[in-house]
Amino acid sequence: MTNAVKIKGKIEYILEAKAVSANLSEAQYSQLYRYFSTTDCSIAILTNGIQIWFFTDLDAPNKLDSNPFFKFDLFDYNDNDLKELEKFHHDRFSIEDIKSSASTLKRMKAAISSIEAQFNEPDDEFVRMISKGFYDGKMTASVVLEFKPIIKRAFEDLVRQKIQKRLTAAFNENVNIPTIKDIDSVTQLSEDADGIETTGEEIDGFNIVRAIGAEVADISRIVMRDQKSYCGINFDDNNRKPIVRLHLNSKTKFLTIFDADKAGTRFDIVQVTDIFKAKNQIVSVIQSYLKNGAS
């Protein structure tokens, strides 16, 4: 079903609605293309009621772009997404502002894609460019080969430090980071504490998980229960709502991360800050408990 929306007497965008079960990435929306080229509108919207995809004509005038410039998901959004969505409000609608934002978003996506490619596997030219800042010798093929894993590791460490700094800053706005001395005031430990020693690494791991969870939930709902064989972190201090178990008391460190069905998956780490690498999985399980709050 395709509809047109008028603002101040002018058709500003058209919308095609699919079934809620439809996968938008696989959906056919030829009507949207056809109507877009035959009207004066500048925005086309494709939705299944949960996901909302916004298109325009950045690539060629009056021809709908093949890729959306903005996607909004009712079950997965952040403050920046809401700010973008506000631009489509009747009282704020400005096609000039929207198309300018669309162009910026498109370039940002391209930039992110390029950076991500270099992050995953830096090419020779990128390695040469970065190495010029600290290496004065000739950049031969063997030097590039030697520096490539170093640049990749430096890139990963820089991103990890940036993430940790931002999450810790957000965390500190809500609560002081606990130390070994005051851990009892902010966590619930096992009732049978015999033989249980809460280590500094476990405190750090708990803080990292709470910092990650602070993006989607009140951190007071993320609670630690230390056990003899692992350090458990649960939602709402409920053993039936496990988020992650920290296994940090041996040479081989790993996490057990739970999903919405409470199935645990092993996630190996080298150091405690590697928990940040599991951010998506941790956020996902917390969101699942938020959606099913009554369970």
Side-chain angles (χ1 to χ4, degrees):
M1 179 176 64
T2 304
N3 297 289
V5 178
K6 283 187 175 182
I7 298 179
K8 297 179 180 179
K10 180 180 182 299
I11 295 177
E12 293 289 5
Y13 53 90
I14 55 176
L15 180 148
E16 183 167 343
K18 298 293 186 182
V20 70
S21 58
N23 183 339
L24 295 189
S25 62
E26 299 175 355
Q28 298 296 320
Y29 42 99
S30 55
Q31 280 188 326
L32 203 63
Y33 274 89
R34 185 168 65 254
Y35 288 141
F36 185 85
S37 62
T38 58
T39 63
D40 293 331
C41 71
S42 298
I43 302 295
I45 299 173
L46 180 68
T47 182
N48 60 7
I50 296 175
Q51 294 181 322
I52 310 169
W53 291 10
F54 296 82
F55 298 80
T56 188
D57 56 351
L58 295 176
D59 295 334
N62 300 320
K63 183 179 179 182
L64 199 66
D65 295 341
S66 57
N67 295 311
F69 66 86
F70 174 51
K71 296 180 180 180
F72 187 86
D73 190 321
L74 292 174
F75 291 155
D76 185 14
Y77 60 85
N78 55 37
D79 288 344
N80 288 332
D81 293 332
L82 290 176
K83 289 178 182 178
E84 289 297 327
L85 194 63
E86 284 179 356
K87 296 174 183 176
F88 296 89
H89 188 281
H90 180 279
D91 296 336
R92 299 179 177 87
F93 190 86
S94 167
I95 193 61
E96 292 79 13
D97 290 345
I98 289 174
K99 296 197 75 170
S100 175
S101 176
S103 179
T104 300
L105 288 171
K106 181 179 179 180
R107 292 189 174 99
M108 282 184 61
K109 288 178 183 177
I112 289 171
S113 178
S114 179
I115 292 171
E116 186 176 24
Q118 296 298 339
F119 179 87
N120 293 330
E121 193 59 48
D123 60 31
D124 292 356
E125 190 59 35
F126 183 80
V127 172
R128 289 191 180 94
M129 179 184 70
I130 297 298
S131 300
K132 287 179 181 178
F134 63 87
Y135 182 72
D136 296 328
K138 187 176 180 180
M139 291 300 299
T140 63
S142 60
V143 172
V144 170
L145 187 63
E146 177 187 352
F147 281 7
K148 185 170 290 190
I150 296 173
I151 298 298
K152 186 176 188 299
R153 176 64 184 275
F155 211 161
E156 291 173 347
D157 285 350
L158 176 62
V159 172
R160 188 180 300 115
Q161 289 169 20
K162 292 288 186 181
I163 292 173
Q164 183 175 3
K165 185 176 180 180
R166 290 190 63 182
L167 289 176
T168 301
F171 180 74
N172 282 335
E173 290 177 0
N174 298 290
V175 66
N176 292 326
I177 295 178
T179 62
I180 294 291
K181 287 184 178 180
D182 59 18
I183 186 64
D184 287 340
S185 66
V186 294
T187 63
Q188 298 291 327
L189 301 182
S190 171
E191 294 178 359
D192 176 14
D194 291 342
I196 296 176
E197 179 184 356
T198 302
T199 67
E201 281 193 326
E202 288 172 336
I203 301 298
D204 291 342
F206 171 57
N207 284 329
I208 290 172
V209 172
R210 290 218 297 179
I212 291 171
E215 290 193 0
V216 294
D218 184 336
I219 57 173
S220 65
R221 302 181 71 180
I222 301 171
V223 178
M224 181 174 75
R225 277 188 172 272
D226 202 1
Q227 307 291 337
K228 290 182 179 180
S229 58
Y230 63 84
C231 179
I233 301 175
N234 303 324
F235 195 68
D236 286 341
D237 195 16
N238 190 334
N239 287 331
R240 292 177 295 176
K241 295 182 180 181
I243 301 171
V244 62
R245 290 177 180 173
L246 310 178
H247 304 266
L248 306 177
N249 296 332
S250 63
K251 290 183 179 179
T252 302
K253 303 180 190 299
F254 66 95
L255 319 174
T256 301
I257 303 178
F258 294 85
D259 59 21
D261 298 320
K262 301 179 180 62
T265 301
R266 176 168 170 149
F267 189 98
D268 291 309
I269 61 174
V270 176
Q271 53 194 0
V272 176
T273 52
D274 288 341
I275 295 173
F276 283 113
K277 295 179 179 179
K279 175 186 174 183
N280 291 340
Q281 296 95 314
I282 292 171
V283 167
S284 179
V285 67
I286 293 173
Q287 287 178 324
S288 73
Y289 294 143
L290 289 170
K291 291 176 185 176
N292 301 288
S295 61

